[in-house]
Structures are given as structure tokens and as C-alpha cells.
Amino acid sequence: MATIEMSCPGCKSPLRLPEAAVGRKGRCNGCGLVFLIDEPSIRRRDAMEDAICDWLSDGADEPQEAPPPRQPAEAVVYKKPPEPASPPPPPPAKTFHIHLDHVDEMGAFFRFSPALLCDEHFRLIFPRQCLICGQPTHLMVHVVAWSNPSHRAQKRVDEQRSVRRLDQLADVDGANLLKHLPRQDHLDEPYNLPMPYYVCDGCSSVGAVMSVVQPAANGSGDDCMLGIASLVQAEAFATAARGPDWPALADIRSRRGQFADPWNNLPLAIRIRLGQWYKPQPGEQFQMYLRDMEFSRAEAGLAGLVATDRRIIHRRGVSLTDLPYREHITLQFKKTGDNVELLLRAAEKNIRLLAMESQVKQLREVMTKFRNA
């Protein structure tokens, strides 16, 4: 398209515009002057369109007188910005007045006043990780169930019913999470207020938390007693509640060393169920329990696979299969949805179950270690 060239009547900046603009009004992008594009002021040439004026309609403002020549701008002197002030120290994390009552083979037990249950921050104290294995994914939300104060001697070791998957509440945090959780209307406040904890798909919540209302140590009123079966997770809970410098953490760590074996790391309820069909041989060392994912978490311990340093034991229904490592055992598996279908064969015996991929990897490591021992 043919273009024309001219100088701005005000700032003398060179302008390039379409030939069709002659006789119309334009505005200089440099100084903002509105002027008439007339024939005497232009120079013609053929070129590609490169408009740098803003075009106005025929009813735009009348031409303005040219402004006086612009004075050279003063040089800008840049100064080194002042050093930023040191940020104020972060406020201390909120801590809660809980006591470590005792630690034994069942877990760590904490005692605190029921008044803490009225504090939303305390009821959100459990880290968002599995209370059994510690993994932060595939979590189900559970709610601590307190026993009725009139029957306070009964410890809650039964299955705590899950509310829903945590990933369904991914955008819900803090106090808003508590609003999505049910209250236990058969209990008085504050025992009816939801206190969430988390267990992954591969673990069972049976025995993970033990909660009971007991007479207070000073004989006045009641205390809450909260037991956590996994000492690793009990330490994480205590650190969140009292901070990393709480002296009682050393007691939990020392007992972790005392009970640091795979069997004691299982919740008590699962150990009791496994004991109905797994009988260790003299000197035999338990290595792992693999839950059959075809059964619900509430049935954890009633079926599945136990691996020791000598053999593999599998139970499904009334069938019990024993595979010693001295036999030639083949392991095959294939991905099925979120889990893995596992098949073990030895001589005339076959074992099939559905398991988590991470547990299958752990089983292979156990088998390789003790099969070659």
C-alpha cells in the first residue's frame, strides 16, 4: 500500500502513514499534537504500511497550535537503593499443653484437657500423612472417636469409620476442613467435635488411634487419653503439638529403638488378627505384612500375606499356604488399576492376591535377601 511521509508540526518527528489519510486529522504519538494532514506537508513514497499515528474521526478536535520546542531532559542519576531492613523474626509456633503419659508396645499415649478439643488449631494437629506408614498420598480422612465419659474405661481400638478421600477435599484447608466433617451427635461437647487424622489406602486404621476419656490426674474432672500405635507418627504428632525441643520426645525415640521391628510397628488390632493364623517358628523373624486389596481395610489382618526371614504365609478364607524360601518360588505381577495383581508359584502351590505396588517392591526385596542367604 502507498504511504506518505511528513514531519510532525510540533516536535518535528518523522511520521509515516497511509496515503488515504490526506485531508484527515491525526495525532502524533510523540508529542500528542492533533494536526491536519495536508498536501504541502507530505512526501510520497511506496512502501508497506507502517502506521505510527492514532487516527481520529472527522469530528475530532480542531488542530492545536504547536507547542514550544522541548527542552533537553535532565540526566537521571540512579542511586543505590537503601539496604532492606532485616525481616522481623517469625512468631513462635503455637504449642499445646499435652503430656506424654506412657509408651509401651501398644504405642505412645498422650493426656490432655478436653478443653483443647474446642481449639480448631489443635484438632487439626495431625500431619497430613498416613498414621501408619507415613506416606502423604492416597489418604482417607478419619475422625477420632472418643468414648462416652460414662463408659470411660472402654478404650476405642475398633475401626474408626473413614469420612471421605482427602483428595476430594484438596481445596479445603484449615477450619474449612472441619466444617466438612461430621460431628458425633451422640456425645456432648467437646467430644463430639471432629478431630481428623489420615490413613492411606494400603493401610488399615484398625488400632491406629486409641481414644478414651479418663478421670483427670488431679482428680478433678476428666482427661482425654489419645494413643498412637506407630511411634514414628506419635513423634510427629508430639513435635507438632509441643515443638521439636519438647524433652518427652527423647522418651518416644528411645522406645522406638526398643520396639524397632516390623511386627511391633503394626497396629495392635492387626497383630491380634494375624496371630490367629500366623504362628512364628522358633527363631523366625517377621519381615512384613501385605494386605490383600480385594478385602476392605476393616478386614486387615484377617487375610493377606506374611513374609518372614524363612518363608511366605498366605491366608485367604479358610485356605492357608506356606512357601519356604528353600523351594524355588517364582514371582509374577501385572498392573491392575491402582494396584498390582501378584502371583507366586512354588511346586504345586500358588498364591494370588491384589496388592499395592510399593508393597510388592518391598516383598521382592525381602525374598531376594533371604532366599540368597
Side-chain angles (χ1 to χ4, degrees):
M1 178 184 295
T3 61
I4 57 178
E5 293 181 353
M6 63 178 293
S7 298
C8 173
C11 65
K12 307 303 180 184
S13 298
L15 304 177
R16 185 178 304 163
L17 48 138
E19 187 177 27
V22 176
R24 299 178 61 189
K25 298 171 185 177
R27 178 186 293 121
C28 175
N29 279 339
C31 64
L33 176 69
V34 177
F35 58 91
L36 179 65
I37 305 168
D38 57 347
E39 190 73 25
S41 65
I42 62 176
R43 300 184 302 276
R44 297 178 179 273
R45 75 183 184 92
D46 290 333
M48 297 299 294
E49 180 179 6
D50 184 16
I52 57 173
C53 282
D54 292 330
W55 305 114
L56 305 176
S57 65
D58 292 338
D61 296 335
E62 295 297 325
Q64 302 176 1
E65 294 184 1
R70 291 179 293 175
Q71 299 297 321
E74 295 183 1
V76 179
V77 179
Y78 292 95
K79 299 180 179 180
K80 183 179 180 181
E83 293 292 333
S86 300
K94 186 174 184 179
T95 58
F96 302 96
H97 195 61
I98 67 172
H99 301 276
L100 178 63
D101 190 83
H102 66 279
V103 182
D104 57 24
E105 66 278 1
M106 294 179 63
F109 292 82
F110 303 93
R111 182 185 291 267
F112 53 86
S113 168
L116 273 182
L117 297 177
C118 298
D119 190 319
E120 292 182 343
H121 295 90
F122 177 73
R123 286 190 283 121
L124 291 166
I125 199 68
F126 278 102
R128 288 197 174 188
Q129 60 192 40
C130 177
L131 201 59
I132 305 298
C133 68
Q135 79 164 7
T137 58
H138 303 291
L139 299 177
M140 300 294 296
V141 184
H142 298 256
V143 176
V144 176
W146 297 100
S147 60
N148 194 310
S150 62
H151 301 90
R152 57 173 64 97
Q154 178 186 1
K155 290 187 177 181
R156 298 303 300 262
V157 297
D158 54 305
E159 168 78 357
Q160 310 275 356
R161 181 170 298 178
S162 62
V163 177
R164 59 195 299 184
R165 292 184 65 91
L166 182 59
D167 55 17
Q168 296 174 343
L169 300 169
D171 297 330
V172 180
D173 203 359
N176 289 327
L177 174 62
L178 298 179
K179 296 176 182 177
H180 284 73
L181 301 179
R183 294 191 176 202
Q184 302 176 68
D185 294 332
H186 62 287
L187 298 175
D188 296 331
E189 287 196 8
Y191 306 107
N192 66 334
L193 300 177
M195 183 176 185
Y197 66 97
Y198 313 93
V199 178
C200 73
D201 278 346
C203 296
S204 170
S205 63
V206 177
V209 168
M210 293 151 280
S211 49
V212 63
V213 180
Q214 294 183 340
N218 59 10
S220 174
D222 291 324
D223 271 352
C224 291
M225 182 78 79
L226 181 68
I228 301 176
S230 168
L231 295 186
V232 174
Q233 302 309 317
E235 182 180 346
F237 170 86
T239 301
R242 291 293 298 262
D245 300 324
W246 189 29
L249 291 172
D251 295 336
I252 301 176
R253 295 189 188 106
S254 65
R255 301 305 291 271
R256 278 178 55 188
Q258 179 180 349
F259 300 120
D261 66 76
W263 178 257
N264 283 313
N265 286 339
L266 293 175
L268 177 63
I270 294 181
R271 279 181 275 162
I272 293 174
R273 291 176 174 179
L274 290 179
Q276 298 174 6
W277 54 272
Y278 161 59
K279 306 298 181 183
Q281 300 172 352
E284 185 177 37
Q285 295 182 353
F286 174 89
Q287 298 299 313
M288 66 174 295
Y289 165 64
L290 193 151
R291 179 169 74 88
D292 192 333
M293 299 297 288
E294 292 185 351
F295 293 82
S296 69
R297 291 185 302 274
E299 299 173 290
L302 298 177
L305 182 149
V306 167
T308 75
D309 60 342
R310 299 181 185 178
R311 57 190 174 133
I312 291 175
I313 307 98
H314 174 252
R315 184 187 185 186
R316 185 181 179 91
V318 297
S319 175
L320 190 65
T321 306
D322 191 323
L323 300 181
Y325 291 142
R326 65 176 179 269
E327 299 183 11
H328 179 67
I329 304 175
T330 62
L331 187 152
Q332 300 175 340
F333 57 89
K334 65 178 181 180
K335 189 80 172 176
T336 304
D338 294 333
N339 299 308
V340 173
E341 185 177 0
L342 183 65
L343 177 64
L344 294 95
R345 295 177 177 176
E348 302 298 325
K349 304 174 183 178
N350 293 330
I351 292 176
R352 188 193 68 82
L353 73 160
L354 200 63
M356 291 185 65
E357 188 172 0
S358 59
Q359 288 190 305
V360 173
K361 181 179 178 181
Q362 183 183 356
L363 177 63
R364 293 181 66 184
E365 294 172 352
V366 169
M367 291 178 61
T368 301
K369 176 181 179 180
F370 294 106
R371 187 164 50 187
N372 298 330

